[in-house]
Amino acid sequence: MKRGFCHSLKKTVILIVLLLCPTFLFATIGIGVQGGWNFTNADQCVDLGVTLKFSKTPFTFTIETGVKEDFCSLGLTVDYWNINPQIAGLLRLYIGPGTTIYFANLQSGFTEFYIGLRFVSGLNIFVWMPLEVYFQTAMELGFSTLYKFTWRAPVSLGARIWF
């Protein structure tokens, strides 16, 4: 059953990328890393991720992993920067909705599946072109196979290099 679900997820991700390809072809691309802490009503953990942003679309993609001594998770977040005004100088604010999905393997033998909606807010600044640095927080509400209704509040610091 796990192989079938992962295979379907892989096909879905490829389809999304292909549908968005025309936009991506004419965009500059920001690729980076982020790390932080994930507060939740279940297990708090360290989050590490790889982030991808395209200049021609308000979507930001992050593949992340949560690490703790008794579990490891792998997830995907997609955020939509609904608002991104300049605050002062080069400092900008961004806010908007998003979605998240992740899988976790616990040392106890259980596997968790989580899906949720999120609201992201953050500050970003281009220290010098092509380096962007950002700090963001999110509030997530979702459903988990282990904890039923659950919430998460990741706090991250990251950087992207633009090509």
Side-chain angles (χ1 to χ4, degrees):
M1 182 173 143
K2 286 184 182 180
R3 184 187 179 285
F5 183 78
C6 288
H7 188 67
S8 297
L9 182 62
K10 192 184 307 183
K11 283 184 176 180
T12 303
V13 169
I14 290 170
L15 179 62
I16 290 169
V17 169
L18 290 175
L19 288 174
L20 295 174
C21 252
T23 301
F24 299 158
L25 289 175
F26 302 104
T28 55
I29 300 170
I31 300 173
V33 294
Q34 71 180 36
W37 189 258
N38 195 344
F39 300 94
T40 174
N41 66 329
D43 287 319
Q44 287 78 22
C45 65
V46 173
D47 273 345
L48 304 169
V50 176
T51 179
L52 181 67
K53 177 114 176 71
F54 297 91
S55 64
K56 300 287 185 189
T57 178
F59 292 101
T60 302
F61 304 89
T62 305
I63 296 173
E64 62 185 3
T65 183
V67 182
K68 193 175 177 185
E69 66 272 357
D70 61 346
F71 78 91
C72 184
S73 67
L74 180 65
L76 171 70
T77 63
V78 179
D79 296 324
Y80 178 81
W81 290 11
N82 195 30
I83 298 172
N84 187 213
Q86 184 174 349
I87 296 178
L90 299 175
L91 186 64
R92 299 180 73 86
L93 166 73
Y94 60 89
I95 59 173
T99 61
T100 185
I101 182 172
Y102 79 81
F103 301 92
N105 286 322
L106 286 71
Q107 193 175 32
S108 62
F110 290 107
T111 300
E112 177 186 16
F113 170 74
Y114 171 83
I115 187 166
L117 297 175
R118 53 191 262 138
F119 180 80
V120 66
S121 63
L123 298 169
N124 67 324
I125 187 168
F126 282 88
V127 179
W128 71 84
M129 206 46 165
L131 180 63
E132 173 192 14
V133 176
Y134 63 91
F135 171 77
Q136 76 177 21
T137 62
M139 184 61 204
E140 300 176 2
L141 299 173
F143 294 95
S144 159
T145 54
L146 290 180
Y147 304 107
K148 306 303 177 214
F149 178 76
T150 188
W151 60 269
R152 299 178 354 141
V155 176
S156 304
L157 181 62
R160 276 187 282 268
I161 295 178
W162 288 81
F163 301 94

